[in-house]
Amino acid sequence: MKTDFFKYQAQTTTFAAGFEVEKAEGSYIYGTDGKKHLDFVAGVSANTLGHSHPKIVEAIKTQAEKYLHVMVYGEYAQEMPVKLCKLLADSTPEPLQVTYLVNSGAEAIDGSLKLAKRYTGREEIISFKNSYHGNTHGALSVSGNEYHKREFRPLLPLVDFIEFNDEKDLTKITEKTACVLMETIQGAAGFLVPQDGYLKKLKKRCEEVGALLILDEIQPGFGRTGKLFAFEHYGVVPDILVMGKGMGGGVPVGAFMSSKEIMDSLSHSPKLGHITTFGGNPLIAAASYATLKEVLESGLMNEIEEKEKLFRELLVHPKIKNINGRGLMLAVNLGTPEFTLDVAKRCMEKGLIVFWQLYRNEYLRISPPLTISINEIREGCQIILDVLNETEK
Ligand code: PLP
């Protein structure tokens, strides 16, 4: 399988691990060699409830027996997408009320930018240095890392980048700004959290000039920081909320949410302001609804703070410089990208899956399923400490 993977499946790097997967269950992924691996990455914050959670599997099976795709997004009323949108409205503060379901995080970002431009009638977008919002042309245009953009220019015009957590830069948001797009917690940059009061000041500035605030919660959303969405920690509500990844609990999905007044502007002048064939697909909606219901009802979110605390207590070592992040999105600074890569490889050999942050490769990524147990956290952290003790640097 590995030979054909490298030969026939398009590669994103020249150094993919090519780990051959047999099955996955709970916090573990099993290789075709029979070895089991504890998963501290959760498909990069996607497997909210662990692998193949029985309630998600059941929801998919039940829906598959009724119907699969029946019509493009937005035409027919189908039970699962309607229930999902209603539960999202019930679980988020006013004025977030209406959800547009799409197929990926990047598409949700593109949709949210179009919505902001259409609603405000403005052209300029403000994003953040070192942000990551996805890889379509639109999402790449508003991501703040030149290395990943350079070869794909020209990208979207009229996008400016401000410094995360720098209040002085807020004056760059003006009456010409359609929207400010911000990751509530910057992911690729090494899980950077907003400083006290920063988000409130950002929101105030947006209100002063009539710009919409879009928060990208594609990673921190769905309980990962102990609240359904991370913005709830910081006393603001965005005009547009973008989600994806963990929303599907293991199936591909994205969505953006706003007030009805804002969202309605996509349905006229022009009509069909954003269209997608598979957005709101009933199978995907069934899995997402089951995930959301379980996150809300299981009490899992109440365990996140304690689990974060345990990670921070256990991961103390002279080779660990600091740990960024909040909840179960933690980035462990090991000093250099080479060392971090080596540690990740050695952890894998010992049966633990860890990864690194997209831009800041010296940070080791820890974003396990929210369902990870206390014993599994202890088991995985011991592997990291053993590897750190074994290595020279
Ligand atoms: N925004 C953030 C914060 C992300 O972490 C990601 C994916 O890593 C995206 C957007 C893009 O999502 P997708 O890969 O589903 O297009």
Side-chain angles (χ1 to χ4, degrees), residues 82-197:
V82 171
K83 276 180 129 170
L84 172 61
C85 293
K86 183 172 185 308
L87 188 55
L88 278 168
D90 291 345
S91 318
T92 46
E94 290 286 334
L96 300 171
Q97 203 195 350
V98 179
T99 304
Y100 197 122
L101 300 167
V102 293
N103 307 281
S104 69
E107 191 197 345
I109 291 291
D110 277 25
S112 73
L113 298 174
K114 286 170 66 187
L115 178 60
K117 286 164 92 173
R118 169 69 186 84
Y119 180 73
T120 61
R122 301 179 184 181
E123 297 179 351
E124 294 184 6
I125 295 167
I126 301 256
S127 184
F128 284 80
K129 292 176 188 168
N130 299 314
S131 60
Y132 180 77
H133 297 289
N135 257 239
T136 55
H137 262 80
L140 188 62
S141 300
V142 291
S143 294
N145 180 288
E146 191 52 28
Y147 170 79
H148 292 277
K149 297 204 293 189
R150 193 174 298 128
E151 305 300 327
F152 303 104
R153 291 189 180 284
L155 294 168
L156 268 186
L158 305 179
V159 182
D160 199 6
F161 294 88
I162 62 175
E163 204 75 56
F164 193 74
N165 275 332
D166 184 348
E167 291 176 19
K168 289 192 302 300
D169 259 10
L170 297 182
T171 53
K172 293 183 180 159
I173 304 165
T174 70
E175 275 81 10
K176 289 188 172 168
T177 309
C179 58
V180 178
L181 169 64
M182 177 179 154
E183 288 167 89
T184 312
I185 294 177
Q186 274 201 334
F191 291 153
L192 299 183
V193 299
Q195 281 163 8
D196 272 356

Side-chain angles (χ1 to χ4, degrees), residues 194-206:
Q195 281 163 8
D196 272 356
Y198 178 73
L199 258 169
K200 279 190 179 163
K201 287 184 182 140
L202 171 63
K203 172 79 175 158
K204 186 163 168 275
R205 178 67 187 163
C206 287

